[in-house]
Amino acid sequence: LVWDAESFSVMADRDSLVQKVKGKKFLKHTHPNFCHGRIFRKPLPVPLVVWKSEKKPRDDHDAPDWLTASEFVDQDDAMDTKLSDFADLLKASKKTVVYSGAGISRGAGIGQAARGRGGSGRNKTTTADPTFTHYALSALAKMGLIHGWVQQNHDGLPQKAGFPQECINEIHGSWYDPSNPVVLYSGNLKKYECKWMEHDAATADLALVVGTSLGGLNADQVAIRTAVRSVSGGALGMVMINLQQTEHDGKSTVRLFGSSDDVLKLLMDKLNAPPPAMSPAVFTGERRMVVPYDENGNRSETAKMWLDLRRNAAIRINPNHNIQGAKQPCYLHIGAKRPRKIEGELRQNGPGHGVVSKWSKKKVGIDLQIEGVHMLLGQWWLEAAARGGPPSIPVINLNPEMIEPSDAMLEES
C-alpha cells in the first residue's frame, strides 16, 4: 500500500476536537443529536429507515422499550458532515483502537446472534474471505491511523486482510490460535489478552466501534471507558458505525449509520487514500525459518530457533495456553491432569503434542493434529514470528533446534 501523508490537508487540531466534547454529557435517546454524536451543536438530518422491525435486536439480551432491530442509513449531507469529523478525529488521535463485533463479518457469510435484514448469515467459518471493512481497517493501520484492534470475533478475518497479529487482541479466543481457543461463556479469558484489553480501555484516545451493539460484554469497556474520558477532556471519545441503534449511541463523539463497508469506502475517499488491495494474506515463504523466540515460544532479545511447520513436523502448544480456561469440550484433555471423557469417549490427557497435518490455501490456515484432535493455525503467524512481532507464538517444535549466537550471525550474513 502506497500512501502519501502529505496528501492530507492541515492535520486536525487535537486540542480543538477535545474541547468540542469536553463537558458534553451523554445524550438521552430523546435528544435530537442522539443519532449523530456529541460533537455536533446543531441537529443533522435524521437517518432514514431502510429496514423496519418491531422486534428487539437480540433475544438473549435485554433492551429498552424504544430500541428495536430496525436498520438506518444516514442521509448524504449528514454522512458527509460526519465523515469529515471522523477523518479529523482519526488524524488527530494519539491512539485509535478498533472494537469490533459480529456485524463486520456478516458480509463474509459468518453468522451472528443479532437480528437484522438478510437474516443471521450463511454460517461460513474458516473458509470465509475478509470483507471491505477488514481490508480498509488494515489499510488504515498501515497508514498509521489505527494502532490496535480488540476483536470479539474468532474468525481471523482481520489477519487474512493483512492486519498485524501483534496488534490484534482476540479477547474471546480464535479459530486460528491453538493456544487461545474460543472461550465459552462459562470459561475464562486468557490472562494476557485480558490485561491487554484493560490497558487499551484505559489508554485509547479514540475507540472505533464497528458492528457491535455494546450489549454488556466485559470488553465493551474499550469503548465505554474511552467515551467517559472524553467528557473530562482526557480522550477524543468513541466513533460508532452500525446499521442499528444501540442504547449507547448518546455516548458517541460521532455516530454514523450505515454498513461498515459503505461507510469505510466513503471514509477512504475522504482521506484521499488509495483503495486497499483485496487479496487474502496467504503465506508463500519458506515453511522452516529462523525466529527470535525461545524454546517455549516467548519472544527473546537473545534466543533464536528454527520454526519448522512443514508437513509432519512434530510440534507442541505453547505451555502458556488457555485451553483449560476456554473450556471447549473437545480440547479439555489437552493440559488436563487426568483422562477426560468427551462425547462418550475416554481421551488420554496430554501436554499438547502433535504434528503439522497439511496447509490450506482456502482457510489461509495450517491444519494440526494435537493429542488426537484437529486444531488450526493461521498462516500469518509465520510472517509475524519471522519479524518477532507477537510476544509469544502458539506452537513451537517438539524439540526446537536452537541457534547459537555464532550460527545466528552466519544466518544473517
Side-chain angles (χ1 to χ4, degrees), residues 126 160 176 281-283 287 358-368 375-380:
T126 54
K160 286 185 183 181
Y176 286 90
V282 176
F283 184 78
R287 299 179 182 183
K358 63 181 180 179
W359 283 57
S360 172
K361 183 176 180 180
K362 182 61 179 174
K363 297 176 186 175
V364 196
I366 307 168
D367 290 298
L368 313 174
M375 302 185 92
L376 189 64
L377 178 71
Q379 292 182 13
W380 53 84

Coordinates of all heavy atoms in Angstrom, one line a residue, residues 126 160 176 281-283 287 358-368 375-380:
T126 N -14.2 -21.0 8.7 CA -12.8 -20.8 8.3 C -12.5 -20.6 6.8 O -11.4 -20.2 6.4 CB -11.9 -22.0 8.8 OG1 -12.4 -23.2 8.3 CG2 -11.9 -22.0 10.3
K160 N -6.3 -12.2 7.9 CA -6.4 -12.5 6.5 C -6.3 -11.3 5.6 O -5.8 -11.4 4.5 CB -7.7 -13.3 6.2 CG -7.7 -14.7 6.7 CD -9.0 -15.4 6.2 CE -9.1 -16.8 6.8 NZ -10.4 -17.5 6.3
Y176 N -8.0 -19.6 14.9 CA -6.7 -19.8 14.3 C -5.5 -19.7 15.3 O -4.4 -19.5 14.8 CB -6.5 -18.6 13.2 CG -7.3 -18.9 12.0 CD1 -8.6 -18.4 11.8 CD2 -6.8 -19.5 10.9 CE1 -9.3 -18.6 10.7 CE2 -7.5 -19.7 9.7 CZ -8.8 -19.3 9.6 OH -9.5 -19.5 8.5
A281 N -4.1 -12.8 2.9 CA -2.6 -12.9 3.2 C -2.2 -14.4 3.2 O -1.8 -14.8 4.3 CB -2.3 -12.2 4.5
V282 N -2.2 -15.1 2.1 CA -1.7 -16.4 2.1 C -0.2 -16.4 2.1 O 0.5 -15.6 1.5 CB -2.1 -17.1 0.7 CG1 -1.5 -18.5 0.6 CG2 -3.7 -17.2 0.7
F283 N 0.4 -17.3 3.0 CA 1.8 -17.3 3.2 C 2.5 -18.0 2.1 O 2.2 -19.2 1.8 CB 2.2 -17.9 4.5 CG 3.6 -17.8 4.9 CD1 4.2 -16.7 5.3 CD2 4.5 -19.0 4.7 CE1 5.6 -16.6 5.6 CE2 5.8 -18.9 5.0 CZ 6.4 -17.7 5.5
R287 N 8.6 -22.6 4.8 CA 7.9 -23.1 5.9 C 8.8 -23.5 7.1 O 8.3 -24.0 8.1 CB 7.0 -24.2 5.5 CG 6.0 -23.8 4.4 CD 5.1 -24.9 3.9 NE 4.2 -24.4 2.8 CZ 3.2 -25.1 2.2 NH1 3.0 -26.4 2.6 NH2 2.4 -24.5 1.3
K358 N -1.5 -30.5 7.3 CA -1.5 -30.0 5.9 C -1.7 -28.5 5.9 O -2.1 -27.9 6.9 CB -2.6 -30.7 5.0 CG -4.0 -30.4 5.5 CD -5.0 -31.1 4.6 CE -6.4 -30.8 5.1 NZ -7.4 -31.5 4.2
W359 N -1.4 -27.9 4.8 CA -1.6 -26.4 4.6 C -2.9 -26.2 3.8 O -3.1 -27.0 2.8 CB -0.4 -25.8 4.0 CG 0.7 -25.6 4.9 CD1 1.4 -26.5 5.6 CD2 1.4 -24.3 5.1 NE1 2.4 -25.9 6.3 CE2 2.4 -24.5 6.1 CE3 1.2 -23.0 4.7 CZ2 3.2 -23.6 6.5 CZ3 2.0 -22.0 5.2 CH2 3.0 -22.3 6.1
S360 N -3.7 -25.2 4.1 CA -4.9 -25.0 3.4 C -4.9 -23.5 2.9 O -5.0 -22.6 3.7 CB -6.1 -25.2 4.2 OG -7.3 -24.8 3.6
K361 N -4.9 -23.4 1.5 CA -4.9 -22.0 1.0 C -6.3 -21.4 1.2 O -6.4 -20.2 1.4 CB -4.6 -22.1 -0.5 CG -4.5 -20.7 -1.2 CD -4.1 -20.9 -2.7 CE -4.0 -19.5 -3.4 NZ -3.6 -19.6 -4.8
K362 N -7.3 -22.2 1.1 CA -8.7 -21.7 1.2 C -8.9 -21.1 2.6 O -9.5 -20.1 2.8 CB -9.7 -22.7 0.9 CG -11.2 -22.3 0.9 CD -11.5 -21.2 0.0 CE -12.9 -20.7 0.0 NZ -13.2 -19.5 -0.8
K363 N -8.5 -21.8 3.6 CA -8.6 -21.4 5.0 C -7.6 -20.4 5.4 O -7.7 -19.7 6.4 CB -8.5 -22.6 6.0 CG -9.5 -23.7 5.8 CD -9.2 -24.8 6.8 CE -10.1 -26.0 6.6 NZ -9.7 -27.1 7.5
V364 N -6.5 -20.2 4.6 CA -5.3 -19.4 5.0 C -4.8 -20.0 6.3 O -4.5 -19.2 7.2 CB -5.6 -17.9 5.0 CG1 -4.3 -17.1 5.0 CG2 -6.5 -17.5 3.8
G365 N -4.8 -21.3 6.5 CA -4.5 -21.9 7.7 C -3.6 -23.1 7.6 O -3.4 -23.6 6.4
I366 N -3.1 -23.6 8.7 CA -2.3 -24.8 8.7 C -3.1 -25.8 9.7 O -3.3 -25.5 10.8 CB -0.9 -24.5 9.3 CG1 -0.3 -23.4 8.5 CG2 -0.1 -25.8 9.3 CD1 1.0 -22.8 9.2
D367 N -3.5 -26.9 9.1 CA -4.2 -27.9 9.9 C -3.2 -28.7 10.8 O -2.1 -29.2 10.3 CB -4.9 -28.9 9.0 CG -6.1 -28.2 8.3 OD1 -7.0 -27.8 9.0 OD2 -6.1 -28.1 7.1
L368 N -3.5 -28.8 12.0 CA -2.7 -29.5 13.0 C -3.5 -30.7 13.6 O -4.7 -30.6 13.8 CB -2.2 -28.6 14.1 CG -1.7 -27.2 13.7 CD1 -1.5 -26.4 15.0 CD2 -0.4 -27.3 12.9
M375 N -6.8 -29.0 15.2 CA -6.7 -27.6 15.5 C -6.1 -26.8 14.3 O -5.6 -27.5 13.4 CB -5.8 -27.4 16.8 CG -6.2 -28.1 18.0 SD -5.3 -27.7 19.5 CE -6.3 -26.4 20.2
L376 N -6.2 -25.5 14.3 CA -5.9 -24.7 13.1 C -5.0 -23.6 13.6 O -5.2 -22.9 14.6 CB -7.2 -24.2 12.5 CG -7.0 -23.5 11.1 CD1 -6.5 -24.5 10.1 CD2 -8.4 -22.9 10.7
L377 N -4.0 -23.3 12.7 CA -3.1 -22.2 13.0 C -3.1 -21.3 11.7 O -3.0 -21.8 10.6 CB -1.6 -22.7 13.2 CG -0.5 -21.6 13.4 CD1 -0.7 -21.0 14.7 CD2 0.8 -22.3 13.3
G378 N -3.2 -20.0 11.9 CA -3.2 -19.0 10.8 C -1.9 -19.0 10.2 O -0.8 -18.9 10.8
Q379 N -1.8 -19.0 8.8 CA -0.6 -18.9 8.1 C 0.2 -17.6 8.4 O 1.5 -17.6 8.4 CB -0.8 -19.1 6.6 CG -1.3 -20.4 6.2 CD -1.5 -20.5 4.7 OE1 -1.1 -19.7 3.9 NE2 -2.2 -21.6 4.3
W380 N -0.5 -16.6 8.8 CA 0.2 -15.3 9.0 C 1.1 -15.3 10.2 O 1.9 -14.5 10.4 CB -0.9 -14.2 9.2 CG -1.9 -14.5 10.2 CD1 -1.9 -14.4 11.6 CD2 -3.2 -15.1 10.0 NE1 -3.0 -14.8 12.2 CE2 -3.9 -15.3 11.2 CE3 -3.9 -15.6 8.8 CZ2 -5.1 -15.8 11.3 CZ3 -5.2 -16.1 8.9 CH2 -5.8 -16.3 10.2

